[in-house]
Every structure is written in structure tokens, then in C-alpha cells.
Amino acid sequence: MRRWTSLVLLSLALLSLSGCGYNALQSSDEQVKASWAEVLNQYQRRADLVPNLVNVVKGYAAHEKDVFVQVTEARAKVGQVQATPELINDPAAFAKFQAAQAQMTSALSRLIAVSENYPQLKADGVFRDLQAQLEGTENRIAVARMRYIEAVQNYNNLVRQFPSNLTAMVIGMKVKPSFTVEDEKALSVAPKVDFGGTAPAPAASR
């Protein structure tokens, strides 16, 4: 009898929560998770391009050791961050992830800048193919980040607003960290990846 009473009370509590934003909170939380998964997917896509890009540049600019070391170290730091689904609930871990990705972006920018000093490198078919892939990936990263920011904003509003904030407290849902940028409008414009030169040359094996 006591067990039956507990089940009834639990059912009533759940019904009450559903009227106080429970379903909206769950739906919003799932959207944040999905958006985060896409962010990770695109950053991984970029990380996968790095070794090939470095190898091609080395073929023409082997003495640019400092740049190669920076890119290699940045990629290693990105790999050290455990980018799990739970990371979005840990502000400190999220900040570490963002810092690692920012360092990767900076290192790649330096690597790309090196190509301006090597006309033959810019004309290399493999290099130009990597250019297209990197540019497309940066586009996808910008879009994924923007969607994540929007999803987190919607979720955090629900967590803070009455009466859904009461439901959030009861079930232990808290605000989530988001990307911080000096100008969020910049996210709507993909970073420019310009290797210069003329039309792409046919891909050649090296």
C-alpha cells in the first residue's frame, strides 16, 4: 500500500512538473547536447586536417620549425581535453576546451601565413585541396558554434525564468557555459582562409 501511494505521489509530481516547464527543459537540454555534438564533430574534422597540412608545408618550408612546433603542441592540447557530453555542464572544463581551440586557431593562422612566402607551395595541388577543406571546416565551425550559443541561450533562459526555474531546481538542472567572443556577430562570418594564387591546380601526388 505504501509503495502504491509513493507511485501515485510520484506520478502527480511529474504531472505537476510537466506543467511548470519540465518538458520544455528536457527538450531544450537535448537541443544543447545535439548542438554540442556538432561543435565537437567540426572541431575534430579540423584537427584531422592538421597533420596533412603540416606535412605539405614542411615539404616546401622545412626550416619553419617554430610554426610546426606550435601547431603540433596546439593539436596535442586539444587532444588532452576530454570533450565528453558532460563537459558542457562544467564551466572550468568548458573554458579549458575553448582556450585549447583558440590556441589551435592561432597556430593554424601562423601556419597559413607561412605559405605567402612560398609561391610553389601555394601552387601545390594537394595544398590547395587542403585549403578548400579547411575553409569549409571553418565555415562549419562558425555555424555550429552559433547554433550552440543559441541553444544554450534558450536553455539558460528556461533555467532562470519562473516558473520553469523552480522545476529546474527540483531536478538539478543548472545553467550551462557558452562560448565567449568579443563580438558574437563575427560568428556569422566564417574566418577567411586565403592562400592566394590563381585557380586551383590539378591535384598531384607527392
Side-chain angles (χ1 to χ4, degrees):
M1 180 65 179
R2 181 176 300 177
R3 183 179 180 183
W4 172 253
T5 302
S6 298
L7 290 173
V8 171
L9 291 175
L10 178 61
S11 297
L12 291 174
L14 290 175
L15 288 173
S16 176
L17 287 175
S18 67
C20 295
Y22 177 82
N23 290 337
L25 281 166
Q26 294 299 324
S27 177
S28 183
D29 187 45
E30 289 302 317
Q31 183 58 52
V32 170
K33 291 177 182 177
S35 299
W36 176 242
E38 183 60 18
V39 168
L40 293 182
N41 181 50
Q42 297 309 328
Y43 272 129
Q44 183 60 51
R45 180 187 178 94
R46 183 173 72 172
D48 291 342
L49 287 172
V50 171
N52 290 335
L53 185 59
V54 169
N55 287 335
V56 173
V57 176
K58 275 185 178 180
Y60 293 90
H63 62 284
E64 302 282 357
K65 295 181 180 179
D66 289 344
V67 177
F68 300 140
V69 169
Q70 287 185 5
V71 173
T72 301
E73 290 180 347
R75 188 172 186 270
K77 288 185 178 180
V78 166
Q80 290 170 2
V81 178
Q82 297 297 316
T84 63
E86 290 73 25
L87 187 148
I88 56 178
N89 297 315
D90 185 340
F94 190 91
K96 184 177 180 181
F97 172 86
Q98 185 176 4
Q101 294 296 344
Q103 185 176 346
M104 184 76 262
T105 298
S106 178
L108 278 174
S109 295
R110 287 203 61 188
L111 181 66
I112 292 169
V114 165
S115 71
E116 293 301 319
N117 301 321
Y118 303 92
Q120 289 182 322
L121 170 61
K122 293 193 295 182
D124 185 282
V126 175
F127 184 78
R128 296 194 69 86
D129 179 62
L130 289 170
Q131 169 207 358
Q133 293 184 54
L134 182 59
E135 184 175 9
T137 299
E138 293 292 359
N139 277 325
R140 293 184 182 92
I141 288 174
V143 172
R145 280 169 57 101
M146 179 62 73
R147 288 176 177 171
Y148 178 79
I149 289 173
E150 292 173 349
V152 171
Q153 183 179 30
N154 181 61
Y155 168 86
N156 286 345
N157 284 339
L158 286 171
V159 169
R160 292 189 178 106
Q161 292 174 351
F162 181 84
S164 55
N165 65 327
L166 301 178
T167 303
M169 285 190 292
V170 171
I171 60 180
M173 298 181 79
K174 301 178 180 179
V175 296
K176 299 181 187 294
S178 187
F179 290 106
T180 56
V181 291
E182 294 181 359
D183 182 5
E184 289 190 10
K185 291 182 180 179
L187 289 177
S188 63
V189 181
K192 185 177 181 180
V193 182
D194 185 5
F195 292 91
T198 56
S205 59
R206 287 181 55 81

